Amino acid sequence: MKSLRVGIVGAGQLGRMLALAGYPLGVHCLFLDRSAGTPGAQVAPTLLGDLEDAARLAELASRSDVLTFDWENISGAALKPLETITRVRPPRAALEVSQDRLAEKALFAKLKIPVAAHAAVESKQELLAATRKIGLPGVLKTRRLGYDGKGQFVLREAAQIDEAWDAIGAAGLIYEKFQRFSREVSLVGVRSAAGETVFYPLSANTHGGGILRYSVAPFAHASLERTARLYSKRVMNALDYVGVLCIEFFVVDGRLIANEMAPRVHNSGHWTIEGCVTSQFENHLRAICDMPLGSTRALGHTAMINFLGKMPDLERLLAIDGLAFHDYGKEPRPGRKLGHCTILRRQSRDRNLALAEALRLIEWA
Ligand code: AMP
């Protein structure tokens, strides 16, 4: 029997796009989040409460055939009791490891997936020692709860140690060697409970200030794609993973260096909504509901542009042939992800066209 009631912890734009992908499949999503105005609550029913409120989580779990996540930072302790109520997918172990950059790098290293040289930092003295051991420049990051470049400081010289410590200093940090990458790419993969895996083409991602600005896909590079798939399969098999997993990589001297993973649908996979036969959102639902996985074939070349801080003019963008517009229904705030658009160009020779149009749009956005 198919599981058709999906509980989603967190009702942000990822949850919203999951719920929207669920309707044609007959999947009914129920969210848990703090307010009724969230992107998800605008499109599907929502329980109101704190994301780690034990009673609310138990209620969500008891009303769901399977529980999944828009927000992956829920603690293992809050999750554990829910496993006796319903199925939790992706599994708790995947969330726990991805919540701590140090644990994540340890897993990658154990699975022989290259990572940047790094060290745990608990004090200013340890930061000094780490910069000496690993070298400069480097990036000091909070191990937990960092996202979109928050909780990060790039150290270019030793004289910045005090400044870095004042900016984010606390226990629970990691210092990483700065990667002089030629590209950033990500791989979105999907695994079913039976162990079947499918992968989307690699996407090439451009960040500004630590936030994803735009992605272009497919990033056609056969050998990098093969390697990325191999790495992703190792991670998914090790965690007995179910659902969508995204791994972000730096390309350094033609090699992949894993940066981080997200145990959920990912911003760098939004292009798959229009750009592939089956979107990452639909495939996540298919995987966690034990439905057959859908084709991940790309339909052409796609550029995806994030709208940060303010929404661009709708009419102007809708006049562009092949453009799809996504508004998450959020209040504007500086730097906040409010929506995105994709431009799909079906003919392969149009690869640069989609990118050029995307770049022009970024100037407007
Ligand atoms: P993260 O939160 O780790 O995904 O970092 C956000 C962005 O900051 C990355 O996508 C990179 O553009 C940049 N960044 C993070 N870590 C490093 C690093 N070790 N070397 C160079 N750039 C980095």
Side-chain angles (χ1 to χ4, degrees), residues 101 141 152 176-179 184 207 250 259-260:
R101 291 182 188 275
K141 301 178 179 178
Q152 297 196 12
E176 295 174 12
K177 190 175 167 66
F178 190 88
Q179 302 300 301
E184 289 189 81
H207 294 81
F250 302 121
N259 177 30
E260 63 176 349

Side-chain angles (χ1 to χ4, degrees), residues 101 104-105 116-117 137-139 141 146-150 152 154 175-181 184 205-212 248-250 259-260 266:
R101 291 182 188 275
E104 195 173 73
K105 283 196 166 49
V139 189
K141 301 178 179 178
Y147 69 99
D148 287 346
K150 292 187 176 65
Q152 297 196 12
V154 178
Y175 180 76
E176 295 174 12
K177 190 175 167 66
F178 190 88
Q179 302 300 301
R180 297 188 192 284
F181 53 80
E184 289 189 81
N205 309 319
T206 301
H207 294 81
I211 304 182
L212 182 65
E248 294 181 86
F249 299 95
F250 302 121
N259 177 30
E260 63 176 349
H266 192 259

Side-chain angles (χ1 to χ4, degrees), residues 11 31 35-46 48:
F31 291 108
S35 93
T38 55
Q42 294 168 28
V43 304
T46 302
L48 294 184

Side-chain angles (χ1 to χ4, degrees), residues 270-346:
H270 290 0
W271 69 276
T272 62
I273 297 176
E274 290 83 19
C276 293
V277 175
T278 315
S279 78
Q280 64 164 349
F281 300 98
E282 179 169 340
N283 255 337
H284 182 70
L285 293 175
R286 287 190 187 212
I288 66 171
C289 294
D290 292 327
M291 296 175 184
L293 303 182
S295 165
T296 52
R297 184 167 55 81
L299 300 172
H301 288 284
T302 305
M304 187 285 318
I305 305 104
N306 272 339
F307 301 139
L308 305 174
K310 69 177 167 55
M311 289 298 287
D313 182 50
L314 176 67
E315 283 190 23
R316 192 167 170 191
L317 290 201
L318 292 188
I320 298 171
D321 179 43
L323 183 140
F325 193 84
H326 296 259
D327 186 331
Y328 306 150
K330 289 159 86 172
E331 284 300 316
R333 223 187 283 147
R336 195 177 199 203
K337 285 178 184 168
L338 300 177
H340 75 268
C341 71
T342 50
I343 298 177
L344 169 63
R345 293 290 171 242
R346 285 178 186 266

Side-chain angles (χ1 to χ4, degrees), residues 4 39 43 62 72 83 146 151 192 202 205 208 220 224 304 334 341 348:
L4 297 177
V43 304
S62 66
E72 75 276 25
E83 292 168 346
S192 71
L202 280 178
N205 309 319
L224 286 183
M304 187 285 318
C341 71
S348 55

